[in-house]
Amino acid sequence: MRNPSCLAIILAAGDSTRMKSRRSKVLHPVAGRPMIVHVLEAISEAGVSEAALVVGRDADAIGAATAGTNVQVETFLQSERLGTAHAVLAARTALERGYDEILVTYGDVPLITGATLRAARTALADGSGVAVIGFEAANPTGYGRLMVKDGELLAIREEKDATDEERRIRRCNSGIMAISGRHAIELIAQVNNDNAKGEYYLTDIVEIARARGIATSVVDADENELAGCNNRQDLAAVERFWQERRRRELMLSGVSLIAPETVFLCHDTVIEPDVTVEPNVVFGPGVRVETGAVIGAFSHLEGAHVSADAHVGPYARLRPGSRLARDSKVGNFCEIKNATIGEGTKVNHLSYIGDAQIGSGTNIGAGTITCNYDGMNKNLTTIGSRAFIGSNASLVAPLNIGDGVIVAAGSTITADVPSNALAFGRARQETKPERANTVRKTSRA
């Protein structure tokens, strides 16, 4: 069978005044990426590769944010805000290319899934001319109501235009719909603004279609999936819904989240089965954790790869470029940045390891730091395998420490150390008997 052509029209032209932000609301992040990109991902998962993006403010920034997705995006400017039907017709030149199907969605509904959008497309394939995505609302106030009888969608009534009886209906309109491309332009063009707000409602095409004998239907989805975002409170709610959904997916895949509500994930976080994540862990962009690893409480990871059976934290920070090999350990109050920690190597306490490569089986003592920045450039520290770096060592890069080296505690190492050498870099200790009393007497004076 021929795969029907489909155009997605994404409405993102609102002024975002309730966000009280310098940027369009569709650019605000959910799980670490702009919500408009979440929408494009769902469109791609629904089998749609072309989108018309209707924008108002920040058109260039929105266009830049959508670059690099799997959807070819064309931008259209809506200079006036006269309602959703008017917004769709801002992309009329795209509509006139003659697609089999039209999907209309919103740039501020980032939790919509490809499965739901595909279900709306399937309803068109099954004979509907218009398929509206709806939901059962816990509190329907403010939503348009779906007038359904015997499984058919009769009309959508905006709340301001609804009767008291119609307002008691809990099945509500998300605003997202699929329209047969054969009928789309003529249906939308017939919408008028004879309503309480004086706007051109896209929802009116349901009654227009039925008057022409065109079938209309409803596709139901979960209310949280269709949550929109108008202000910062909505943004926090959408983030919460996204996190809950992703945590559930991870736990069902075999990941142990000890206190799931305290773990925060990013859109691209990859965690394999049999990983344990303790409470209060934050995953920033670009993290992969392999099977058997443990991420201790209160750790923060970003741009890091944690190999199988490694242990991170508690209270550890992995910054971009961190690579932990199998069975390695980065312990409490340690920070790793752009560094490779070899297999079985331990960085247990209170250390900063930045711009470094450490071999296997090495022990990094408490309080050790790589002095990687000279005020102008970042420099590399290389430490071989089976080395022992004593506590409170300062390793001044660029520096190469060979295999099997022992660095004495409290040393400042500024020159390369060959394999199996013992390196000291500290002043000789002197002890002055009874001098402590003299110091205390002077201090009191």
Side-chain angles (χ1 to χ4, degrees):
M1 294 180 63
R2 184 176 70 88
N3 186 34
S5 62
C6 185
L7 173 71
I9 298 180
I10 308 171
L11 305 184
D15 288 326
S16 308
T17 53
R18 284 177 284 178
M19 289 293 284
K20 294 181 171 56
S21 176
R22 292 174 295 175
R23 57 180 170 171
S24 169
K25 65 180 174 181
V26 301
L27 294 175
H28 283 262
V30 172
R33 67 176 172 185
M35 62 177 79
I36 186 67
V37 180
H38 286 274
V39 175
L40 285 168
E41 181 183 62
I43 287 168
S44 177
E45 290 174 354
V48 181
S49 60
E50 297 179 64
L53 183 59
V54 180
V55 299
R57 61 177 290 195
D58 295 334
D60 291 342
I62 295 172
T66 58
T69 66
N70 293 327
V71 180
Q72 181 181 339
V73 179
E74 185 177 4
T75 301
F76 296 87
L77 183 65
Q78 184 190 18
S79 55
E80 294 182 278
R81 313 291 190 270
L82 301 178
T84 49
H86 178 264
V88 171
L89 286 178
R92 184 165 189 153
T93 56
L95 285 167
E96 289 173 344
R97 294 177 192 144
Y99 294 88
D100 297 319
E101 299 171 355
I102 305 298
L103 267 179
V104 180
T105 187
Y106 295 85
D108 62 352
V109 185
L111 303 182
I112 188 70
T113 64
T116 296
L117 294 176
R118 189 177 286 278
R121 295 188 65 189
T122 299
L124 296 185
D126 291 341
S128 289
V130 179
V132 174
I133 297 175
F135 62 98
E136 289 284 336
N139 177 12
T141 303
Y143 292 110
R145 308 305 204 275
L146 299 181
M147 312 287 116
V148 180
K149 184 177 181 181
D150 299 329
E152 293 187 42
L153 178 60
L154 304 182
I156 304 175
R157 195 79 70 235
E158 297 299 327
E159 186 171 66
K160 289 187 177 181
D161 303 307
T163 65
D164 290 341
E165 183 179 354
E166 289 170 340
R167 288 186 181 128
R168 286 193 284 271
I169 296 172
R170 304 185 72 86
R171 203 173 189 183
C172 295
N173 172 41
S174 71
I176 302 171
M177 64 179 69
I179 311 168
S180 168
R182 185 157 57 97
H183 303 298
I185 292 178
E186 62 173 313
L187 292 176
I188 298 169
Q190 290 189 48
V191 174
N192 62 48
N193 65 346
D194 183 19
N195 53 65
K197 293 182 69 176
E199 292 187 354
Y200 295 89
Y201 295 146
L202 183 63
T203 51
D204 287 352
I205 69 170
V206 172
E207 290 182 89
I208 295 170
R210 292 192 63 81
R212 289 173 165 262
I214 299 170
T216 57
S217 61
V218 176
V219 172
D220 288 315
D222 181 76
E223 180 177 5
N224 290 348
E225 179 185 340
L226 302 172
C229 185
N230 291 309
N231 53 45
R232 305 296 179 125
Q233 185 176 0
D234 291 345
L235 183 63
V238 166
E239 180 74 33
R240 183 176 74 253
F241 296 148
W242 189 95
Q243 293 290 340
E244 289 171 352
R245 184 165 73 187
R246 186 68 184 119
R247 292 169 191 145
R248 183 168 58 251
E249 291 170 352
L250 285 175
M251 289 186 286
L252 292 175
S253 76
V255 176
S256 291
L257 305 181
I258 303 302
E261 69 280 2
T262 70
V263 175
F264 291 88
L265 305 150
C266 198
H267 68 95
D268 60 353
T269 303
V270 177
I271 306 179
E272 295 182 358
D274 275 336
V275 168
T276 298
V277 182
E278 294 179 357
N280 298 295
V281 173
V282 175
F283 294 93
V287 177
R288 184 180 189 94
V289 184
E290 295 184 3
T291 187
V294 175
I295 310 300
F298 294 96
S299 294
H300 189 288
L301 294 78
E302 180 178 356
H305 188 123
V306 180
S307 296
D309 301 317
H311 196 123
V312 176
Y315 294 97
R317 184 182 182 194
L318 303 187
R319 291 171 58 192
S322 299
R323 298 291 181 267
L324 276 59
R326 178 183 291 271
D327 200 35
S328 60
K329 170 72 182 293
V330 172
N332 48 288
F333 303 104
C334 290
E335 180 178 345
I336 310 296
K337 191 272 290 186
N338 191 33
T340 299
I341 310 300
E343 184 172 350
T345 287
K346 293 177 172 55
V347 186
N348 272 324
H349 336 275
L350 303 162
S351 294
Y352 169 72
I353 305 297
D355 298 294
Q357 295 177 356
I358 304 177
S360 60
T362 287
N363 186 85
I364 305 297
T368 294
I369 64 169
T370 57
C371 306
N372 55 328
Y373 185 49
D374 61 11
M376 186 70 66
N377 299 303
K378 299 292 179 68
N379 300 291
L380 178 68
T381 297
T382 301
I383 304 173
S385 298
R386 304 176 308 284
F388 180 90
I389 310 299
S391 297
N392 201 34
S394 296
L395 309 179
V396 183
L399 187 64
N400 182 47
I401 296 175
D403 295 339
V405 164
I406 296 176
V407 172
S411 293
T412 297
I413 304 299
T414 60
D416 291 352
V417 182
S419 295
N420 297 311
L422 171 63
F424 291 81
R426 63 191 184 199
R428 176 180 297 179
Q429 178 177 322
E430 292 192 26
T431 303
K432 306 293 185 180
E434 303 299 323
R435 184 65 63 85
N437 288 330
T438 301
V439 171
R440 281 191 285 269
K441 183 178 179 180
T442 303
S443 299
R444 283 193 295 271

